[in-house]
């Protein structure tokens, strides 16, 4: 059973860069059957897809965040990462990493989420 | 495109409730619809995938369907239990495989 765990700073200053890592255990990240995905959820609001990475580093990003987002992959350490630049209070949210199937784009495993607050 | 869900639904224990998810443009049948349940303080978990497939461990009280005439997907929960009280999100994707989530529906079992 694959397990995902997010980690990173819980507080980021406005205009700075948010950086999170997702550690993956119990499964190989080298399988072409899966995409490695970031999703966020502001408090009391719905889910927003941020983007994904797959294969040898292919990425797709939410159009609304594309200019500020980078997702990277380190299969040797069984982890993938999120960088979001020039953050504002609107980026305050619970950030989830998830594994999704390449065939049907369904997220079958999620981390517990990590809260990131953007504040001076 | 957007996926539109009712903000909230409520029903009594033992009854049946249907949560809809309407696609704004393009056919609902073009891309799979998945459904996630999110209880307070927890990450989402799948209750339905590929429109109408139920993951192992999800009771058969949960079912899914799509309706091309209304361009919508539905999650149907029968024999409601208090433990079903949660937020439910539909999710699909566009032709670029970018994900789209519905706004979520709060289910109250009263």
């Amino acid at each position: 059973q694959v397990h995902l765990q997010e980690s990173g700073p819980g507080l980021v200053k406005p205009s700075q860069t948010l950086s999170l890592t997702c550690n993956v255990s119990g499964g190989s990240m080298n399988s072409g059957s899966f995409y490695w995905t970031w999703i966020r959820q502001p408090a009391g609001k719905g889910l927003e897809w941020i983007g994904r990475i797959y294969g040898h580093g292919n990425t797709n990003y939410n159009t609304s965040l594309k200019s500020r987002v980078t997702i990277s992959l380190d299969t040797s350490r069984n982890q993938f990462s999120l960088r979001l630049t020039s953050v504002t209070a609107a980026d305050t949210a619970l950030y989830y990493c998830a594994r999704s199937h390449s065939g049907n784009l369904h997220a079958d495993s999620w981390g517990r989420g990590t809260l990131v607050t953007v504040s001076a | 495109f957007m996926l539109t869900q009712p903000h909230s639904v409520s029903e009594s224990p033992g009854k049946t409730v249907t949560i809809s998810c309407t696609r704004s443009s393009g056919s609902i049948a073009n891309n799979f619809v998945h459904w996630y349940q999110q209880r307070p303080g927890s990450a989402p978990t799948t209750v339905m995938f590929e429109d109408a497939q139920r993951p192992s461990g999800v009771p058969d009280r949960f079912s899914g369907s799509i309706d091309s005439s209304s361009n919508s997907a539905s999650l149907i929960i029968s024999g409601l239990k208090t433990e079903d009280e949660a937020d439910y999100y539909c999710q699909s994707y566009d032709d670029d495989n970018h994900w789209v989530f519905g706004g979520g529906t709060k289910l109250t079992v009263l």
Side-chain angles (χ1 to χ4, degrees):
Chain A
Q1 181 77 1
V2 70
H3 179 74
L4 296 94
Q5 174 88 51
E6 306 88 350
S7 62
L11 181 64
V12 181
K13 289 181 166 50
S15 80
Q16 294 194 343
T17 296
L18 178 160
S19 295
L20 296 175
T21 296
C22 181
N23 288 285
V24 179
S25 58
S28 171
M29 296 191 73
N30 290 315
S31 170
S33 298
F34 299 113
Y35 294 163
W36 305 97
T37 303
W38 287 97
I39 297 150
R40 69 181 183 179
Q41 184 174 34
K45 297 189 178 180
L47 300 167
E48 179 181 32
W49 178 73
I50 299 172
R52 65 168 164 264
I53 191 164
Y54 59 99
H56 296 291
N58 300 300
T59 53
N60 298 108
Y61 300 128
N62 186 319
T63 304
S64 67
L65 298 170
K66 187 174 184 177
S67 64
R68 299 194 292 129
V69 172
T70 303
I71 297 175
S72 58
L73 184 65
D74 187 345
T75 55
S76 66
R77 301 178 68 179
N78 262 27
Q79 61 185 209
F80 63 108
S81 300
L82 169 70
R83 289 184 76 248
L84 182 65
T85 62
S86 305
V87 297
T88 69
D91 295 310
T92 294
L94 192 57
Y95 285 76
Y96 293 102
C97 60
R99 184 185 79 170
S100 62
H101 289 253
S102 59
N104 61 18
L105 301 185
H106 152 240
D108 69 344
S109 298
W110 298 63
R112 296 183 66 178
T114 189
L115 178 63
V116 179
T117 301
V118 178
S119 174
Chain B
F1 66 90
M2 295 190 305
L3 296 173
T4 301
Q5 299 180 234
H7 184 256
S8 63
V9 295
S10 61
E11 191 49 272
S12 303
K15 298 291 190 179
T16 297
V17 71
T18 299
I19 300 173
S20 62
C21 172
T22 302
R23 179 166 170 158
S24 61
S25 61
S27 173
I28 193 73
N30 280 357
N31 309 98
F32 287 127
V33 176
H34 315 300
W35 289 90
Y36 303 97
Q37 176 192 69
Q38 186 179 34
R39 294 192 172 103
S42 296
T45 60
T46 307
V47 290
M48 201 65 53
F49 68 98
E50 292 183 3
D51 304 335
Q53 300 302 310
R54 197 172 51 250
S56 60
V58 174
D60 61 5
R61 302 184 294 104
F62 287 77
S63 61
S65 68
I66 62 168
D67 180 359
S68 295
S69 65
S70 59
N71 214 33
S72 64
S74 293
L75 177 69
I76 304 110
I77 310 171
S78 60
L80 275 169
K81 300 185 176 185
T82 54
E83 67 203 47
D84 300 331
E85 195 162 282
D87 294 328
Y88 291 85
Y89 294 90
C90 60
Q91 176 244 318
S92 189
Y93 45 96
D94 63 20
D95 290 341
D96 293 321
N97 288 344
H98 291 192
W99 290 21
V100 179
F101 282 103
T105 299
K106 181 178 179 62
L107 170 63
T108 302
V109 182
L110 34 68

